[in-house]
Amino acid sequence: MLPFSFTDSSLYHQPSTPPSISPLIKVGEDQNPRLFIRKEDYSSIHSRVEEMARLLVLLAVCLLPALASALFSGNYFLLRGKVYCDTCRVGYETTATKYLPGSHVDLICRKRDQPEAITYKVSGVTDSTGEYKIPVGRDCGDDICDVVLVKSSDPECATPNFGRDRARVALTWNNGMVSSTRFANNLGFLLNVPLASCPQVLQQYQDTEESY
């Protein structure tokens, strides 16, 4: 008789070493037992995320100049200024000064080494407050630009005031200015006949100067 039975379960159950299981770490804070990944997989994912982040930063640095150029491909600047009537013919603005709606100005840019060569020109008309707003479609850093009087809307005040008939403007990003809106000095025409109230107006300025 055999010392064992074929029905003995010890013959069919052999002890074995369980397969190696990598340490697990949990992702998230909701204590959900299904959200587990292997530690080595997590390290690989973390490394790839860091690599992608570096790549995105590099792309941003390379693309920023192009994006900036695209944003300003239409209008680089907005030029603003006013046109006034010097009602006292004193050469500057006073409390009696009036501003001229419907007056015309030109923005003219010329080459620095060839003043006779016009590189850019655009016109503007003042609104109801006497202010003009001229969109400028380029950077004019290599040019000399002036806004000049063209025509007054008031025939009684149509003589350009010499020295106030043009204003130099900087239309470039290479001068440290960060705003795309650029302001020009106000331009003035002279009234044919000064107002009767001008002596009193000018007396105010004289009294102010003497008080200092």
Side-chain angles (χ1 to χ4, degrees):
M1 184 174 180
L2 294 175
F4 56 84
S5 171
F6 285 100
T7 59
D8 190 345
S9 60
S10 63
L11 294 178
Y12 303 97
H13 180 72
Q14 299 294 330
S16 59
T17 303
S20 176
I21 300 177
S22 300
L24 302 179
I25 64 170
K26 184 166 59 181
V27 178
E29 300 180 355
D30 59 354
Q31 304 299 323
N32 189 333
R34 292 175 298 179
L35 298 178
F36 282 79
I37 61 173
R38 278 193 289 267
K39 186 175 181 179
E40 58 267 25
D41 291 341
Y42 176 82
S43 300
S44 176
I45 293 173
H46 186 269
S47 176
R48 291 181 181 180
V49 169
E50 287 185 337
E51 184 179 351
M52 291 179 64
R54 288 193 292 268
L55 180 60
L56 288 175
V57 171
L58 180 61
L59 287 174
V61 171
C62 296
L63 292 177
L64 276 177
L67 291 174
S69 177
L71 287 175
F72 291 104
S73 60
N75 295 324
Y76 277 69
F77 306 102
L78 179 65
L79 178 62
R80 298 176 60 178
K82 286 190 172 184
V83 176
Y84 66 88
C85 175
D86 181 358
T87 56
C88 291
R89 296 181 65 93
V90 292
Y92 53 85
E93 294 170 82
T94 68
T95 56
T97 294
K98 70 174 183 178
Y99 295 90
L100 300 173
S103 295
H104 294 253
V105 298
D106 278 348
L107 169 65
I108 302 176
C109 297
R110 305 174 185 272
K111 289 185 177 180
R112 293 181 181 275
D113 54 349
Q114 295 179 308
E116 70 281 357
I118 295 177
T119 58
Y120 188 77
K121 182 178 180 180
V122 61
S123 300
V125 181
T126 57
D127 60 18
S128 59
T129 67
E131 182 181 33
Y132 59 84
K133 297 178 182 178
I134 301 177
V136 181
R138 55 170 286 185
D139 187 300
C140 302
D142 296 329
D143 306 320
I144 297 176
C145 299
D146 296 286
V147 56
V148 299
L149 292 174
V150 175
K151 181 180 179 182
S152 172
S153 59
D154 185 354
E156 296 299 319
C157 188
T159 303
N161 183 9
F162 181 75
R164 296 295 182 105
D165 58 342
R166 63 181 54 239
R168 182 66 47 87
V169 290
L171 299 174
T172 180
W173 292 108
N174 298 325
N175 57 4
M177 299 177 69
V178 297
S179 175
S180 61
T181 300
R182 303 298 168 88
F183 292 89
N185 291 335
N186 293 344
L187 306 178
F189 290 97
L190 297 173
L191 189 65
N192 292 342
V193 179
L195 298 177
S197 60
C198 284
Q200 290 78 17
V201 172
L202 299 180
Q203 184 63 44
Q204 297 175 2
Y205 291 94
Q206 184 176 353
D207 293 342
T208 302
E209 292 179 359
E210 291 177 353
S211 66
Y212 289 99

